[in-house]
Amino acid sequence: MQIPFHKTYTDEEEITGVVAAIKSGWLTMGPKTIEFEDRFRDYLGCRYAVSMNSATAALHLALKAIGLQAGDEVIIPTNTFIATAEVVTYFGAVPVLCDVEEDTHNMDVSKIKKLITSKTRSLIPVHFGGQPCDMDEIMAIARQHKLLVIEDAAHCLPAHYKGHKIGTIGDITCFSFYATKTLCTGEGGMAVTDNAAYSQSMKINRLHGISRDAWDRYSEKGTWYYEVVDNGHKYNTTDINAALGLAQLRKLEWMWQRRGEIAAKYTKAFNGTAVISSVIRSDRDSAWHLYVIKVNNRDDLIDRLKADKIGTSVHFIPVHKHPYYKQTYGYQDKNYPVANDVFSRTLSLPIYPGMTDEQVDYVIEKVIKHAR
Ligand SMILES: *Cc1c(COP(=O)(O)O)cnc(C)c1O
């Protein structure tokens, strides 16, 4: 049996949708993109959804929408993909790293307050593996200190926190449709918000700073006329991607349910063994983008599972350990004791809707056999 770390789930619906988009003769951002944004917005129950070509682009334009400036500070967890830190550096702003919790691997909210200075502008919680962070505490800290909250929900479609869908809590929430994520369009992302000004800023900036209002206002002058009102970017997506997204969105709940079943099987099987599963808090659920375990023989376990043809991965090499970030911002290992421990012992197991029960059982058998 060969079990890759990830395999995207698609069926005839994706193929039909993409073929129809191509046959329509309109390939770039157009009617399918608008339909995808509308369906996505309706699914989450938020006011505005702005599609982009990645979550990195969405995070970038979210920070631009809130007016991040050079010298500002943004608090992010150190246990994240580098994109979360990178977007802050685009502005000449400083990513300030927060340690994580031992059991959930999410940002430790008890450590946020100590990191807040007069330069702090924003918090970017990352819902690690798909489990929502402590959003009540994060929003309370943010409101008290007049900070804006941009959620990195690259792992977190769909999930709930105390009955609220992720995408309806922070000031702006960014989702990823990258190849391995829970809804996949190959590459893609979406920023959602209830704030009209943020939505407008992101819509303008995703396409060269061109104002659609100007287009509408002056359309009687002819279709050639437009106005550039900001120094924008080329971050728009395409109708081909949107056709994939629409097909994936229709099966999102089913795919989520199947990942949940696999997670439940893992958790039950690992109970009482050398394998420590991540804890999911009782007042929220997980999108189950990742199934993360901790063991004492991590590197050895990865090799042994590889020999048994089981793919695994590690999430994440903490931001403070990457040479560029360490050198540029002077991060010190000793400030992130929990993240260091988590990083040394953690690995992620295959979890995707197309996995059969036999494959899940095989992974369980081999993990328990080799884990120390
Ligand atoms: C994947 C990921 C991103 C970036 O998503 P892209 O769509 O590839 O830009 C950002 N943050 C986290 C935590 C991620 O895992």
Side-chain angles (χ1 to χ4, degrees):
M1 208 175 310
Q2 177 143 16
I3 304 170
F5 175 64
H6 181 77
K7 192 165 186 291
T8 302
Y9 186 87
T10 54
D11 57 26
E12 281 305 310
E13 241 187 323
E14 278 79 1
I15 295 167
T16 315
V18 168
V19 168
I22 295 169
K23 283 187 176 165
S24 79
W26 188 280
L27 301 194
T28 185
M29 182 167 67
K32 282 286 152 197
T33 306
I34 291 165
E35 192 184 333
F36 181 39
E37 289 175 339
D38 288 349
R39 291 292 85 74
F40 197 86
R41 188 197 60 201
D42 294 348
Y43 175 74
L44 292 184
C46 55
R47 279 220 183 103
Y48 307 100
V50 184
S51 67
M52 278 174 245
N53 58 15
S54 71
T56 307
L59 287 164
H60 179 191
L61 295 193
L63 290 174
K64 187 164 181 177
I66 66 162
L68 193 71
Q69 300 290 322
D72 287 349
E73 294 175 358
V74 178
I75 299 172
I76 69 170
T78 190
N79 181 32
T80 186
F81 182 58
I82 206 62
T84 322
E86 174 190 320
V87 292
V88 175
T89 72
Y90 293 172
F91 296 83
V94 178
V96 174
L97 306 182
C98 186
D99 205 359
V100 297
E101 295 175 325
E102 175 74 34
D103 56 352
T104 65
H105 309 186
N106 265 336
M107 197 164 179
D108 185 340
V109 294
S110 73
K111 295 180 179 170
I112 293 176
K113 275 190 182 163
K114 283 196 289 279
L115 301 173
I116 295 174
T117 73
S118 60
K119 293 178 183 163
T120 311
R121 229 14 256 302
S122 174
L123 306 173
I124 311 184
V126 177
H127 305 305
F128 179 77
Q131 174 169 203
C133 296
D134 294 334
M135 290 310 295
D136 277 354
E137 289 80 358
I138 288 171
M139 295 308 292
I141 293 170
R143 295 305 177 237
Q144 187 191 343
H145 295 268
K146 299 199 165 35
L147 310 175
L148 292 160
V149 175
I150 311 239
E151 291 171 64
D152 181 338
H155 298 183
C156 209
L157 181 73
H160 304 89
Y161 173 84
K162 299 188 179 176
H164 300 282
K165 273 207 172 100
I166 292 301
T168 61
I169 302 173
D171 294 293
I172 304 176
T173 302
C174 300
F175 296 95
S176 173
F177 310 137
Y178 175 67
T180 60
K181 304 288 161 72
T182 56
L183 182 156
C184 168
T185 65
E187 298 284 356
M190 189 84 80
V192 304
T193 181
D194 282 349
N195 181 303
Y198 297 158
S199 163
Q200 181 71 357
S201 166
M202 294 189 288
K203 276 191 172 152
I204 287 169
N205 276 286
R206 76 172 158 184
L207 198 64
H208 306 294
I210 292 172
S211 169
R212 227 187 112 74
D213 286 352
W215 171 283
D216 293 342
R217 206 174 323 134
Y218 295 105
S219 54
E220 68 271 19
K221 285 189 180 179
T223 51
W224 54 268
Y225 192 80
Y226 59 88
E227 280 180 354
V228 173
V229 297
D230 207 340
N231 61 337
H233 299 267
K234 175 64 177 174
Y235 281 169
N236 65 291
T237 184
T238 73
D239 267 19
I240 301 172
N241 286 67
L244 276 169
L246 281 163
Q248 290 265 290
L249 193 56
R250 281 193 285 270
K251 51 172 74 80
L252 185 67
E253 290 274 329
W254 172 79
M255 294 195 292
W256 182 34
Q257 186 198 328
R258 179 61 191 149
R259 286 193 305 272
E261 283 169 12
I262 296 167
K265 246 165 132 26
Y266 279 150
T267 303
K268 186 157 177 256
F270 296 147
N271 188 22
T273 72
V275 181
I276 300 170
S277 301
S278 299
V279 168
I280 304 295
R281 303 244 185 268
S282 58
D283 57 1
R284 65 204 77 173
D285 50 34
S286 177
W288 291 116
H289 164 56
L290 300 175
Y291 194 91
V292 175
I293 59 168
K294 268 188 303 221
V295 292
N296 289 322
N297 64 332
R298 196 270 310 276
D299 294 356
D300 171 63
L301 180 58
I302 289 175
D303 290 345
R304 287 172 189 267
L305 291 174
K306 195 173 167 204
D308 285 332
K309 298 193 162 47
I310 296 170
T312 58
S313 191
V314 173
H315 298 89
F316 287 98
I317 302 166
V319 174
H320 68 267
K321 289 193 180 290
H322 287 294
Y324 173 83
Y325 285 85
K326 214 181 173 93
Q327 281 152 28
T328 308
Y329 300 101
Y331 302 132
Q332 294 190 312
D333 253 40
K334 67 171 167 54
N335 292 333
Y336 315 99
V338 181
N340 291 334
D341 174 64
V342 166
F343 171 56
S344 69
R345 296 198 287 137
T346 199
L347 78 156
S348 306
L349 300 179
I351 181 166
Y352 40 92
M355 273 182 96
T356 63
D357 283 341
E358 293 70 42
Q359 289 178 314
V360 179
D361 289 339
Y362 180 78
V363 174
I364 289 170
E365 179 200 325
K366 297 300 178 188
V367 169
I368 291 176
K369 181 177 169 200
H370 300 309
R372 298 285 175 269

